[in-house]
Amino acid sequence: MKRSSVIAIILTLLMPLSAYSATKYISIGTGAITGVYYPAGGAICRLLNRGRKEHGIRCSVESTGGSVSNLNAIRNNAIDFGIVQSDWQYQAYNGAKFFSDQRPFEELRSVFSLYTETFTIAVKADSQIKNLDDILKKNVNFGPLGSGMYATMKVLMDVKGWTQDSFESVTYLQPSEQPKALCEGKIDVMVYAAGNPNGVLQEATQACKVKIISIDDKTISKLIKVNPFYVQAVIPGAMYANNNEDINTFGVMASLVTSNKVDEEIVYNIIKSTFDNFDNFKTLHPVFSTLEKGNMVKAGNSAPIHPGALRYFKEAKLIK
Ligand code: GLU
């Protein structure tokens, strides 16, 4: 065979391979499928994937335990991006609380903030539990170990001076398992932290009569004094069935984060596809409907902004 023919065959064989290797695959760590992180990650990927032909990036979401799992997975290079609560972003960056056995995660970078997540305690409507202190000596589900709500519950317990022994039992059911367990009386209290409205609280309040407990001002003030990244928050009345009054609680921001090892071009494109298609993005989940770009640059973020995000924010004149 002629030398030129051999070269032509080799080139043909290599072509699909080079096309394949040009695609950059990225993943976003989210939370339980019935939470808000999972559809939020899906919305971000969907808009990014639409421009795949131009930027060559292909995005997928992973269902995970939640904030703490996502931060650890980004640190171990198992995922590229994650959606996390602002309290755990702060603690990971500073190597505190649940991350105190690790060095500060200095490579952590913020991309953009999303919405407020409220800390929620829900019980059956006919239960004797009327306020936070009444959950003592009850069967309480904290959520899975890697979740942000489990970790935030621990912070609340520190403020109250409680330990796990303060409860009759502590379980670690997934958010999606909680509504059934609560309605069937297997647990007395479910703990959750997510944007509103979310599928978990919708399911719980529709499956049986469930009330969401307000947290008293004194506890919230004490909590915020020690942990300034928490803010007072309200779940508006009538957001969930049989909960017609406003519910007072505290909240955190949900943010998309990454590490400084992730390519500037990838981070730039993930923001560009969301922000350039913002009206569309806002329709992809009810939690997004009130988002404003200006608030999404820094709110709740303690890790430095990734250079790819900074480039987009400057170009879009969202920061100077
Ligand atoms: N905030 C929860 C967590 O960090 C997840 C909420 C959600 O999935 O929307 O574990």
Side-chain angles (χ1 to χ4, degrees):
M1 202 187 295
K2 269 204 214 145
R3 196 164 163 238
S4 58
S5 316
V6 173
I7 291 172
I9 291 168
I10 291 173
L11 282 178
T12 316
L13 284 174
L14 283 178
M15 245 169 64
L17 197 64
S18 58
Y20 175 82
S21 59
T23 305
K24 294 178 211 111
Y25 292 88
I26 60 156
S27 56
I28 304 181
T30 59
I33 290 172
T34 48
V36 185
Y37 286 3
Y38 187 77
I44 295 167
C45 276
R46 189 161 141 188
L47 293 177
L48 182 66
N49 286 343
R50 272 200 206 154
R52 200 161 65 225
K53 286 209 184 86
E54 291 97 67
H55 50 59
I57 306 165
R58 195 179 171 110
C59 177
S60 62
V61 282
E62 267 181 45
S63 173
T64 69
S67 296
V68 176
S69 304
N70 293 342
L71 286 158
N72 284 326
I74 296 173
R75 192 196 286 247
N76 300 331
N77 304 315
I79 53 173
D80 309 285
F81 293 86
I83 305 180
V84 302
Q85 291 181 196
S86 48
D87 46 352
W88 303 110
Q89 180 187 157
Y90 175 91
Q91 308 293 10
Y93 187 66
N94 292 289
K97 298 264 182 207
F98 279 78
F99 304 93
S100 54
D101 56 339
Q102 309 178 38
R103 64 171 180 80
F105 185 10
E106 283 159 2
E107 299 82 9
L108 184 63
R109 293 292 177 270
S110 64
V111 181
F112 57 79
S113 314
L114 286 155
Y115 50 84
T116 305
E117 295 186 88
T118 53
F119 184 82
T120 330
I121 291 194
V123 300
K124 272 176 95 172
D126 58 6
S127 130
Q128 295 306 308
I129 302 169
K130 306 275 182 244
N131 56 49
L132 182 63
D133 289 347
D134 294 340
I135 71 169
L136 285 173
K137 306 230 170 1
K138 298 286 188 299
N139 301 305
V140 182
N141 187 60
F142 280 25
L145 290 177
S147 69
M149 63 224 136
Y150 165 86
T152 306
M153 180 65 187
K154 289 279 201 176
V155 173
L156 181 63
M157 283 162 60
D158 282 350
V159 169
K160 296 293 291 181
W162 296 344
T163 65
Q164 270 184 229
D165 293 338
S166 310
F167 305 102
E168 175 68 25
S169 75
V170 168
T171 46
Y172 307 95
L173 298 177
Q174 290 290 336
S176 56
E177 296 170 310
Q178 295 199 93
K180 192 163 179 270
L182 185 68
C183 290
E184 288 178 355
K186 294 199 173 114
I187 55 171
D188 304 314
V189 179
M190 66 175 256
V191 168
Y192 195 48
N196 296 293
N198 61 67
V200 173
L201 286 172
Q202 272 168 340
E203 195 190 326
T205 51
Q206 280 161 14
C208 63
K209 283 205 166 150
V210 163
K211 68 178 174 213
I212 304 169
I213 302 280
S214 274
I215 299 181
D216 56 284
D217 290 346
K218 201 173 139 212
T219 304
I220 297 178
S221 313
K222 211 169 152 192
L223 179 87
I224 295 177
K225 206 167 157 204
V226 192
N227 308 280
F229 34 79
Y230 291 119
V231 291
Q232 205 134 16
V234 174
I235 302 173
M239 177 151 289
Y240 296 105
N242 298 310
N243 285 272
N244 296 327
E245 307 285 319
D246 284 359
I247 300 145
N248 295 318
T249 181
F250 63 94
V252 288
M253 286 301 286
S255 299
L256 183 70
V257 296
T258 187
S259 104
N260 65 2
K261 292 184 200 134
V262 173
D263 207 53
E264 181 181 323
E265 208 53 33
I266 293 178
V267 179
Y268 173 83
N269 275 300
I270 209 167
I271 300 207
K272 190 173 165 56
S273 56
T274 302
F275 279 46
D276 285 2
N277 299 294
F278 204 58
D279 288 340
N280 185 347
F281 181 68
K282 282 168 74 172
T283 63
L284 297 179
H285 194 285
V287 177
F288 301 158
S289 62
T290 53
L291 289 182
E292 285 173 29
K293 284 184 191 172
N295 293 337
M296 295 168 70
V297 173
K298 274 199 207 125
N301 285 336
S302 22
I305 303 177
H306 190 286
L310 212 53
R311 187 174 128 206
Y312 181 84
F313 291 148
K314 283 188 178 158
E315 247 177 52
K317 303 210 171 9
L318 289 164
I319 44 176
K320 283 193 190 132

